[in-house]
Amino acid sequence: MVNLRINGIALSVQEGTTIMNAAHSAGIDIPHLCYWEGLNEIGACRICVVEVAGMDKLLSACNTEVKEGMEILTNSPRVRLSRKTNVQLILSEHDCQCATCTRSGNCALQTIAKNLGIANPIYKDITEKFRWNRHFPLIRNSSKCIKCMRCIQVCDDIQDLHVWEMVGTAQRTSVGVRNGVRMDEARCSLCGQCITHCPVGALRERNDMDEVLDALADPDKITMVQFAPAVRVAWGEKAGLHRVEQTTGKLVAALKQIGFDYVFDTVYSADMTIMEEGSELIKRMGNKEKYSWPMFTSCCSGWLRFVKSEFPCFLPNLSTAKSPQQMFGALAKTYMAEKLGIDPARIVSVSLMPCTAKKYEADVEQVNGSGFKDVDIVLTTRELDNLILADGINAGELKEMPFDSFFGEGTGAGVIFGATGGVMEAALRSAYFLITKENPPADAFKNVRGMNGWKEATFTVAGTHMKVAVANGLGNARRLLNAIKADAVEYDFVEIMACPGGCAGGGGQPIHDGREMAEIRGGELYNIDSTLPRRFSHENPTVQLTYREYLGEPLSRRAHQLLHTEVEGWDLTPETMKQ
């Protein structure tokens, strides 16, 4: 143990503890900008400096380990002056138009500047100009960048994509796209992890709220909105709702108040996805020599961009089943329109997703199967929260409302799509039934749960051994794919999610600076699953009705037309996204 004093408080902490963590253990929070524990501990911002007795220079608390007998001041006159000066210098290179910034009220720089009492700039404004393709789903505002390097670190060390790099020297140092290419040429997966790890508003998703508001205001349009499983466990965070308060019933009520004509549940089409993907797996298992192995899930659009640009040799391995978002969109403008007696040309299909890559997916022309654009507009959870706040809706006071008829029915299997391992588990539950005509115990495949970046398990179904793997985070996906290419591992079925923790930790989810929320949100999805009366996709009565009335059976000709796609033909940069 190491003995020291911080602001006069005697402490004893483990050897190797940083000053930052030692102070935190004593109830002292040292302000910081660039620091993210375990990811970015480089002391670049110089906001976390502290004074150590006997030392001439101030030390960064985030990456300096404590030593025996240290006497540390986190609030001495020297520290206060240095901290304020450093923030003022950062502000001289920062676009301070907070009123129009997506991170206003949830910005580390804004909070620190306010706490330090900085009211007037004292240095010349040398803000970098903002030049970017505003049609691309991911927007970078260089005039807001504080060069903390978090985006570089998460993209390099976690996602292993290497999209960003430091460019220029001295005062001209900035963050840019690696090798100076345009963003639409950078092989970015659009996972959005750089957005959720940015402490300011330098990175954000493309704002599509005005399109939704225009549709809501048009009396000739009928608006249908779906929301994903991971949205239900995150939408209330910005409003300050406790986890048990942010129910689907309250979210439905909020969307009705906003003015949507129909509110449906993406869990319905998640169950549809399982029926198609599970049937496809069984078909492939029965004709193994005809197919490439393993079969990969195809729900995550960030993963699809990654495999298409980085590992095109595995494109034949992808399930052809569309994502739940796109299945819902296709059925909205065909079966749902027919069943509800609506002209599909009047429908505006809106999708609420925890993901930034879903904006790309909806714009891919080759994914459409209804004769229209299947999903017209995609909003992230953050954009959804802004819609709710803009209308002055008090989320805590909302009265529960049900989904609209038919397409609000889902099962626990569809709900867990939002957690890493959830798609795999849901598929195995129904694949077991489709093979044996009996349900397994609902938790028979729980070994694929958990936050480990690469998990594997072997299950026996009707005497057939099935080896499966689950990866979350694209760095882990790259390791797994390289191992498969090298014949170091062998699997039958693989689930990959681009974001660490799966959709629950998606790049479109609410941002909590310095905190990873995927495990907490994912755990809540499994809690919801455990309490539902139906936990198998094949037991969803609306899914059964859809097949009886419209599709016939899984993998039928009509099902292929509406619910399947060939990713090999997708354009990585649709016309709507080009400069």
Side-chain angles (χ1 to χ4, degrees):
M1 300 296 286
V2 176
N3 300 299
L4 68 154
R5 299 179 74 85
I6 301 180
N7 295 349
I9 301 172
L11 297 174
S12 183
V13 298
Q14 292 284 344
E15 186 176 354
T17 302
T18 63
I19 293 175
M20 176 88 75
N21 287 333
H24 184 72
S25 71
I28 301 168
D29 288 327
I30 299 174
H32 55 273
L33 273 176
C34 65
Y35 172 73
W36 189 300
E37 187 170 8
L39 176 69
N40 204 41
E41 301 173 343
I42 58 176
C45 67
R46 307 301 295 171
I47 305 303
C48 69
V49 291
V50 296
E51 184 173 358
V52 178
M55 300 195 71
D56 292 332
K57 69 174 186 176
L58 301 178
L59 302 180
S60 53
C62 68
N63 59 1
T64 301
E65 295 182 0
V66 297
K67 293 183 179 178
E68 182 67 29
M70 265 188 171
E71 293 196 15
I72 300 165
L73 292 175
T74 70
N75 57 358
S76 69
R78 282 184 67 201
V79 167
R80 289 171 176 153
L81 177 61
S82 175
R83 193 169 286 156
K84 191 167 186 175
T85 300
N86 288 335
V87 172
Q88 287 171 323
L89 286 167
I90 290 170
L91 290 173
S92 73
E93 299 183 72
H94 184 76
D95 168 11
C96 295
Q97 296 182 22
C98 297
T100 56
C101 180
T102 57
R103 291 294 297 275
S104 185
N106 185 23
C107 170
L109 178 59
Q110 183 186 57
T111 300
I112 291 171
K114 182 175 67 174
N115 291 345
L116 289 172
I118 297 175
N120 299 302
I122 63 172
Y123 296 107
K124 179 183 177 182
D125 183 348
I126 55 172
T127 306
E128 188 178 351
K129 298 299 181 184
F130 174 28
R131 296 183 296 273
W132 198 260
N133 173 10
R134 295 172 191 253
H135 300 290
F136 200 71
L138 188 152
I139 306 292
R140 179 176 183 270
N141 187 339
S142 56
S143 66
K144 293 185 181 294
C145 178
I146 62 171
K147 306 172 184 61
C148 68
M149 295 180 61
R150 281 193 195 173
C151 58
I152 296 175
Q153 300 284 49
V154 73
C155 193
D156 288 2
D157 298 345
I158 305 299
Q159 298 298 71
D160 198 16
L161 284 171
H162 308 279
V163 170
W164 308 106
E165 67 177 356
M166 295 300 293
V167 297
T169 58
Q171 185 176 303
R172 296 180 298 278
T173 301
S174 183
V175 174
V177 181
R178 190 173 294 272
N179 299 323
V181 302
R182 295 200 321 259
M183 189 60 178
D184 56 15
E185 300 171 338
R187 293 186 173 184
C188 173
S189 73
L190 291 173
C191 67
Q193 290 302 305
C194 56
I195 298 176
T196 59
H197 288 77
C198 177
V200 293
L203 290 159
R204 62 174 174 84
E205 67 272 48
R206 183 185 69 215
N207 187 339
D208 293 321
M209 286 175 57
D210 283 345
E211 287 188 57
V212 171
L213 294 173
D214 288 344
L216 291 169
D218 189 339
D220 291 328
K221 299 297 183 184
I222 295 172
T223 52
M224 286 187 179
V225 64
Q226 55 164 308
F227 60 84
V231 172
R232 74 198 56 218
V233 291
W235 73 274
E237 291 173 2
K238 189 170 183 177
L241 296 186
H242 187 275
R243 303 222 157 264
V244 298
E245 295 179 300
Q246 55 178 0
T247 63
T248 56
K250 286 186 177 181
L251 180 51
V252 170
L255 294 170
K256 284 292 188 179
Q257 282 196 35
I258 289 168
F260 287 99
D261 295 306
Y262 293 93
V263 182
F264 296 133
D265 194 347
T266 311
V267 172
Y268 154 72
S269 51
D271 287 332
M272 293 293 306
T273 301
I274 289 303
M275 295 304 296
E276 294 296 319
E277 195 167 75
S279 297
E280 184 181 5
L281 175 63
I282 292 169
K283 179 181 176 181
R284 291 192 184 202
M285 291 289 286
N287 299 272
K288 294 199 77 166
E289 69 284 351
K290 290 185 177 181
Y291 297 98
S292 300
W293 294 93
M295 187 176 104
F296 291 104
T297 60
S298 53
C299 297
C300 171
S301 44
W303 147 242
L304 296 184
R305 284 182 61 87
F306 174 77
V307 71
K308 187 168 174 62
S309 61
E310 302 278 340
F311 291 89
C313 61
F314 284 119
L315 289 174
N317 299 58
L318 289 171
S319 165
T320 61
K322 291 181 184 179
S323 71
Q325 166 182 282
Q326 294 303 137
M327 284 196 183
F328 201 106
L331 290 168
K333 297 192 177 181
T334 53
Y335 175 54
M336 295 183 195
E338 181 181 304
K339 192 166 185 66
L340 297 170
I342 299 170
D343 178 359
R346 296 180 60 201
I347 294 174
V348 177
S349 174
V350 180
S351 172
L352 306 177
M353 292 287 137
C355 177
T356 48
K358 290 295 180 187
K359 289 177 180 280
Y360 153 75
E361 183 182 37
D363 283 343
V364 174
E365 184 180 350
Q366 296 87 348
V367 80
N368 297 315
S370 66
F372 302 89
K373 188 180 180 188
D374 293 344
V375 175
D376 294 292
I377 311 167
V378 178
L379 299 185
T380 63
T381 313
R382 292 190 293 270
E383 290 173 286
L384 162 65
D385 289 341
N386 289 337
L387 274 181
I388 293 171
L389 293 172
D391 276 10
I393 296 171
N394 185 336
E397 297 299 320
L398 289 167
K399 303 299 182 185
E400 303 266 340
M401 289 185 68
F403 287 103
D404 285 293
S405 296
F406 300 114
F407 307 109
E409 293 204 59
T411 70
V415 167
I416 60 176
F417 260 58
T420 175
V423 177
M424 174 66 70
E425 185 172 350
L428 291 174
R429 288 180 191 179
S430 285
Y432 186 100
F433 172 82
L434 292 172
I435 292 171
T436 66
K437 305 306 177 187
E438 295 180 355
N439 282 342
D443 296 319
F445 306 107
K446 65 181 181 181
N447 287 352
V448 297
R449 299 178 189 176
M451 289 294 292
N452 288 342
W454 176 355
K455 299 161 287 198
E456 58 181 34
T458 301
F459 302 104
T460 302
V461 180
T464 299
H465 297 295
M466 188 180 297
K467 190 168 185 182
V468 303
V470 172
N472 66 98
L474 291 175
N476 295 314
R478 188 183 295 277
R479 289 193 302 113
L480 186 151
L481 294 179
N482 282 330
I484 293 173
K485 282 183 70 174
D487 294 324
V489 294
E490 187 174 329
Y491 303 110
D492 297 300
F493 192 28
V494 176
E495 176 206 302
I496 295 181
M497 293 288 185
C499 294
C503 304
Q509 294 280 65
I511 297 171
H512 300 269
D513 193 52
R515 293 178 62 197
E516 304 286 7
M517 299 294 291
E519 187 169 11
I520 294 171
R521 296 171 183 148
E524 186 59 27
L525 290 171
Y526 279 109
N527 287 339
I528 294 171
D529 166 46
S530 68
T531 64
L532 292 179
R534 296 188 182 96
R535 301 182 65 191
F536 299 90
S537 294
H538 55 270
E539 292 184 345
N540 185 326
T542 307
V543 167
Q544 295 170 353
L545 184 69
T546 304
Y547 281 111
R548 282 198 310 271
E549 291 189 344
Y550 198 71
L551 296 175
E553 61 183 6
L555 306 183
S556 68
R557 184 172 182 176
R558 180 174 276 181
H560 264 289
Q561 177 189 345
L562 293 176
L563 308 182
H564 292 257
T565 184
E566 297 288 344
V567 177
E568 290 173 270
W570 284 21
D571 187 350
L572 280 173
T573 310
E575 288 298 324
T576 52
M577 287 167 45
K578 291 180 179 176
Q579 291 179 325

